[in-house]
Amino acid sequence: MSKHCIYPGSFDPITMGHIDIIQRLSAVFDQITVLVAQAPHKNYLFSSEERQSLVVSCLQGIKNVDVEIHQGLTIEYAQKVQARVIVRGLRAVSDFEYELAMANVNSKLAPEIETLIVFTRPEYGHISSRMVKEVAEFGGELKDLVPSHVAEALRMKIHHRSK
Ligand code: ADP
């Protein structure tokens, strides 16, 4: 059986923390699908196509990863491609309740699919896309939080938006 996992998220934008998780997954799974979520009620900074293309550009050199956009439930996508594993990252206790609730709902809806949790490395535990956007809004240093071309995309987006 091929080991295929789905790593879903907003990736608005992708950060060093996400990249670390994907690199680690690529060493233990045959195939990883990074699933860029498009939820109707969420207010994203980047469009789904921009978020997808930033993810792709950060993963050059990792052969067993593909990046797809999906509107709808992650389990539906997993069932469609016959993947049995959804992976989520856990940074701190504050992430726990939400992740537990989501994993429980998913396992009620699709008992054949497992949610696996990967713990963030301590050096990335403080990074979130929301925090990165706040730092960028105020012109702060983005080095160590996101790759340099993602920092540039953030600066451009914020500059154009404030015009
Ligand atoms: P969502 O809106 O679905 O939480 P995110 O893009 O914020 O989407 O996160 C996607 C996944 O990556 C989640 O499982 C989240 O816990 C994880 N994640 C976010 N930031 C980090 C980080 N710094 N280190 C490791 N995992 C992270």
Side-chain angles (χ1 to χ4, degrees), residues 7-21 24 37 42 44 87-91 95 98-99 102 117-121 124-130:
Y7 179 44
S10 305
F11 305 101
D12 188 35
I14 186 166
T15 69
M16 295 299 198
H18 295 129
I19 295 169
D20 177 58
I21 296 276
R24 288 160 58 197
K42 274 209 186 174
Y44 300 104
V87 174
R88 296 284 293 176
L90 202 75
R91 283 163 292 196
D95 287 338
Y98 177 74
E99 295 300 338
M102 198 160 64
I117 296 294
V118 175
F119 291 100
T120 302
R121 278 198 235 246
Y124 301 120
H126 59 291
I127 305 177
S128 67
S129 298
R130 198 178 87 191

Coordinates of all heavy atoms in Angstrom, one line a residue, residues 7-21 24 37 42 44 87-91 95 98-99 102 117-121 124-130, ligand 1:
Y7 N -1.6 17.1 3.7 CA -1.3 18.1 4.7 C -2.1 19.3 4.3 O -1.7 20.1 3.5 CB 0.2 18.4 4.7 CG 0.7 19.4 5.6 CD1 0.3 19.5 7.0 CD2 1.6 20.4 5.2 CE1 0.8 20.4 7.8 CE2 2.1 21.4 6.1 CZ 1.7 21.4 7.4 OH 2.1 22.3 8.3
P8 N -3.3 19.5 5.0 CA -4.1 20.6 4.6 C -3.9 21.9 5.5 O -3.4 21.8 6.6 CB -5.5 20.1 5.0 CG -5.3 19.2 6.2 CD -3.9 18.7 6.1
G9 N -4.2 23.1 4.9 CA -4.0 24.3 5.6 C -4.3 25.5 4.8 O -4.6 25.3 3.6
S10 N -4.3 26.7 5.4 CA -4.5 27.9 4.6 C -3.3 28.3 3.9 O -3.3 28.9 2.8 CB -4.9 29.0 5.6 OG -6.0 28.6 6.4
F11 N -2.1 28.2 4.5 CA -0.8 28.6 3.9 C -0.9 30.0 3.4 O -0.6 30.3 2.2 CB -0.4 27.6 2.8 CG -0.3 26.2 3.3 CD1 -1.4 25.3 3.0 CD2 0.7 25.7 4.1 CE1 -1.3 24.0 3.5 CE2 0.8 24.4 4.6 CZ -0.3 23.6 4.3
D12 N -1.3 30.9 4.3 CA -1.6 32.3 3.9 C -0.6 33.3 4.6 O -1.1 34.1 5.4 CB -3.0 32.7 4.1 CG -3.4 34.0 3.6 OD1 -2.9 34.4 2.5 OD2 -4.3 34.7 4.2
P13 N 0.7 33.3 4.3 CA 1.4 32.4 3.4 C 2.1 31.3 4.1 O 2.1 31.2 5.3 CB 2.4 33.4 2.8 CG 2.8 34.2 4.0 CD 1.5 34.4 4.9
I14 N 2.8 30.4 3.2 CA 3.6 29.4 3.8 C 4.7 30.0 4.6 O 5.3 31.0 4.3 CB 4.1 28.5 2.6 CG1 4.9 27.3 3.2 CG2 5.0 29.3 1.6 CD1 5.1 26.2 2.1
T15 N 5.1 29.3 5.7 CA 6.1 29.8 6.6 C 7.2 28.7 6.7 O 7.1 27.6 6.3 CB 5.6 30.0 8.0 OG1 5.3 28.8 8.6 CG2 4.4 31.0 8.0
M16 N 8.3 29.1 7.4 CA 9.4 28.1 7.7 C 8.9 26.9 8.5 O 9.3 25.8 8.3 CB 10.5 28.7 8.5 CG 11.2 29.9 7.9 SD 12.1 29.3 6.4 CE 13.2 30.6 6.1
G17 N 7.9 27.1 9.3 CA 7.3 26.0 10.1 C 6.6 25.0 9.2 O 6.8 23.8 9.4
H18 N 5.8 25.5 8.3 CA 5.2 24.6 7.3 C 6.2 23.8 6.5 O 6.1 22.6 6.3 CB 4.3 25.4 6.3 CG 3.1 26.1 6.8 ND1 2.9 27.4 6.6 CD2 2.1 25.7 7.6 CE1 1.8 27.8 7.2 NE2 1.3 26.8 7.8
I19 N 7.2 24.5 6.0 CA 8.2 23.9 5.2 C 9.0 22.8 5.9 O 9.2 21.7 5.4 CB 9.3 24.9 4.6 CG1 8.5 25.9 3.7 CG2 10.4 24.3 3.9 CD1 9.4 27.2 3.4
D20 N 9.3 23.0 7.2 CA 9.9 22.0 8.0 C 9.1 20.8 8.1 O 9.6 19.6 8.0 CB 10.2 22.6 9.4 CG 10.9 21.6 10.3 OD1 11.9 21.0 9.9 OD2 10.3 21.3 11.4
I21 N 7.8 21.0 8.4 CA 6.9 19.8 8.5 C 6.8 19.0 7.2 O 6.9 17.8 7.1 CB 5.4 20.3 8.8 CG1 5.4 21.0 10.2 CG2 4.4 19.1 8.7 CD1 5.2 20.1 11.4
R24 N 10.0 17.0 6.6 CA 10.0 15.8 7.5 C 9.1 14.8 7.0 O 9.4 13.6 7.0 CB 9.7 16.2 8.9 CG 10.9 17.0 9.5 CD 10.5 17.9 10.7 NE 9.9 17.1 11.8 CZ 9.2 17.6 12.8 NH1 9.0 18.9 12.9 NH2 8.7 16.8 13.7
A37 N -6.4 25.2 1.3 CA -7.8 25.4 1.5 C -8.3 26.7 0.9 O -7.7 27.7 1.0 CB -8.1 25.3 3.0
K42 N -13.5 32.6 4.9 CA -12.2 33.1 5.4 C -11.7 34.3 4.5 O -11.9 34.3 3.3 CB -11.2 32.0 5.4 CG -11.2 31.1 6.6 CD -9.9 30.6 6.9 CE -9.9 29.6 8.1 NZ -8.6 28.9 8.3
Y44 N -8.7 35.7 3.2 CA -7.3 35.4 3.0 C -6.6 36.7 2.5 O -7.2 37.5 1.8 CB -7.1 34.3 1.9 CG -7.7 33.0 2.3 CD1 -8.9 32.6 1.7 CD2 -7.1 32.2 3.2 CE1 -9.5 31.4 2.1 CE2 -7.7 30.9 3.6 CZ -8.9 30.6 3.0 OH -9.5 29.4 3.3
V87 N -2.4 14.9 8.0 CA -1.4 15.3 8.9 C -1.7 16.8 9.3 O -2.0 17.6 8.5 CB 0.0 15.2 8.3 CG1 1.1 15.8 9.3 CG2 0.4 13.8 8.0
R88 N -1.6 17.1 10.6 CA -1.6 18.4 11.1 C -0.4 18.7 12.0 O 0.1 17.8 12.6 CB -2.9 18.7 11.9 CG -4.2 18.5 11.1 CD -4.5 19.6 10.2 NE -4.8 20.8 11.0 CZ -5.0 22.0 10.5 NH1 -4.9 22.2 9.1 NH2 -5.3 23.1 11.2
G89 N 0.0 19.9 12.0 CA 1.1 20.3 12.9 C 0.6 20.9 14.2 O -0.4 21.5 14.2
L90 N 1.4 20.6 15.3 CA 1.0 21.1 16.6 C 2.1 21.9 17.1 O 3.2 21.4 17.3 CB 0.6 20.0 17.5 CG -0.3 20.3 18.7 CD1 -1.7 20.5 18.3 CD2 -0.2 19.2 19.8
R91 N 1.8 23.2 17.4 CA 2.9 24.1 17.9 C 2.9 24.1 19.4 O 3.9 24.1 20.1 CB 2.7 25.5 17.4 CG 3.1 25.7 16.0 CD 2.5 26.9 15.4 NE 1.1 26.8 15.3 CZ 0.3 27.5 14.5 NH1 0.9 28.6 13.9 NH2 -0.9 27.3 14.4
D95 N -3.0 25.1 20.3 CA -3.5 24.5 19.1 C -4.3 23.2 19.4 O -5.1 22.7 18.5 CB -2.3 24.0 18.2 CG -1.6 25.1 17.5 OD1 -2.2 26.2 17.3 OD2 -0.4 24.9 17.1
Y98 N -8.5 22.7 19.3 CA -9.1 22.8 17.9 C -8.7 21.6 17.1 O -9.5 21.0 16.4 CB -8.5 24.1 17.3 CG -8.9 24.3 15.8 CD1 -10.2 24.6 15.5 CD2 -8.1 24.0 14.8 CE1 -10.7 24.8 14.2 CE2 -8.5 24.2 13.5 CZ -9.8 24.6 13.2 OH -10.1 24.7 11.9
E99 N -7.4 21.2 17.2 CA -7.0 20.0 16.4 C -7.7 18.7 16.9 O -8.1 17.9 16.0 CB -5.5 19.9 16.5 CG -4.7 21.0 15.9 CD -4.9 21.2 14.4 OE1 -5.4 20.2 13.7 OE2 -4.7 22.3 13.9
M102 N -11.3 18.8 15.6 CA -11.3 18.6 14.1 C -11.0 17.1 13.8 O -11.7 16.5 13.0 CB -10.4 19.5 13.4 CG -10.7 19.6 11.9 SD -10.0 21.0 11.2 CE -8.3 20.6 11.4
I117 N -0.6 13.8 14.1 CA -0.1 15.1 14.6 C 1.4 15.0 14.5 O 2.0 14.1 15.0 CB -0.6 15.4 16.0 CG1 -2.1 15.5 16.1 CG2 0.1 16.6 16.6 CD1 -2.7 16.7 15.3
V118 N 2.0 16.0 13.9 CA 3.5 16.2 13.9 C 3.8 17.4 14.8 O 3.2 18.5 14.6 CB 4.0 16.3 12.5 CG1 5.5 16.6 12.5 CG2 3.7 15.1 11.7
F119 N 4.7 17.2 15.7 CA 5.0 18.3 16.6 C 6.0 19.3 15.9 O 7.0 18.8 15.3 CB 5.6 17.8 17.9 CG 4.6 17.2 18.8 CD1 4.5 15.8 18.8 CD2 3.7 17.9 19.5 CE1 3.5 15.2 19.6 CE2 2.8 17.3 20.3 CZ 2.7 16.0 20.3
T120 N 5.8 20.5 16.0 CA 6.7 21.6 15.5 C 8.0 21.5 16.2 O 8.1 21.3 17.4 CB 6.1 22.9 15.7 OG1 4.8 22.9 15.1 CG2 6.9 24.0 15.2
R121 N 9.1 21.7 15.5 CA 10.4 21.9 16.1 C 10.4 23.2 16.9 O 9.8 24.2 16.5 CB 11.5 22.0 15.1 CG 11.9 20.6 14.5 CD 13.2 20.8 13.9 NE 13.2 20.4 12.5 CZ 13.9 19.3 12.1 NH1 14.7 18.7 13.0 NH2 13.9 19.0 10.9
Y124 N 10.6 26.7 15.4 CA 9.5 27.2 14.6 C 8.2 27.3 15.4 O 7.2 27.7 14.8 CB 9.3 26.2 13.4 CG 10.5 26.1 12.6 CD1 11.1 24.8 12.4 CD2 11.1 27.2 11.9 CE1 12.2 24.7 11.6 CE2 12.2 27.1 11.2 CZ 12.8 25.8 11.0 OH 13.9 25.7 10.2
G125 N 8.2 27.0 16.7 CA 7.0 27.0 17.5 C 6.3 28.3 17.6 O 5.1 28.4 17.8
H126 N 7.0 29.4 17.4 CA 6.4 30.7 17.5 C 5.9 31.3 16.2 O 5.3 32.4 16.2 CB 7.5 31.7 18.1 CG 8.7 31.8 17.2 ND1 9.6 30.8 17.0 CD2 9.1 32.8 16.4 CE1 10.5 31.1 16.2 NE2 10.2 32.4 15.8
I127 N 6.1 30.5 15.1 CA 5.7 31.1 13.8 C 4.3 30.7 13.4 O 4.0 29.5 13.4 CB 6.7 30.6 12.7 CG1 8.2 30.9 13.1 CG2 6.4 31.2 11.4 CD1 9.2 30.4 12.1
S128 N 3.5 31.7 13.0 CA 2.2 31.4 12.4 C 2.1 32.4 11.2 O 2.7 33.4 11.2 CB 1.1 31.6 13.4 OG 1.0 33.0 13.7
S129 N 1.2 32.0 10.3 CA 1.0 32.9 9.1 C 0.4 34.2 9.6 O 0.7 35.3 9.1 CB 0.0 32.2 8.2 OG 0.5 31.0 7.7
R130 N -0.5 34.1 10.6 CA -1.1 35.4 11.1 C 0.0 36.3 11.7 O 0.0 37.5 11.4 CB -2.1 35.0 12.2 CG -3.1 36.2 12.4 CD -4.1 35.9 13.4 NE -3.6 36.2 14.8 CZ -4.3 35.8 15.9 NH1 -5.4 35.1 15.8 NH2 -3.8 36.1 17.0
Ligands
ADP1 P1 -5.2 26.4 9.1 O1 -5.9 27.7 8.8 O2 -5.8 25.2 8.6 O3 -4.8 26.2 10.6 P2 -2.4 27.0 8.6 O4 -1.8 27.3 7.3 O5 -2.3 28.1 9.6 O6 -3.8 26.5 8.3 O7 -1.7 25.7 9.2 C1 -1.7 24.5 8.5 C2 -1.1 23.4 9.3 O8 0.3 23.7 9.6 C3 -1.8 23.3 10.7 O9 -1.8 21.9 11.0 C4 -0.9 24.1 11.6 O10 -1.0 23.6 12.9 C5 0.5 23.8 11.0 N1 1.4 24.9 11.3 C6 1.2 26.2 11.2 N2 2.3 26.9 11.6 C7 3.2 25.9 11.9 C8 4.6 26.0 12.4 N3 5.2 27.1 12.7 N4 5.2 24.8 12.6 C9 4.6 23.7 12.3 N5 3.3 23.5 11.9 C10 2.7 24.7 11.7

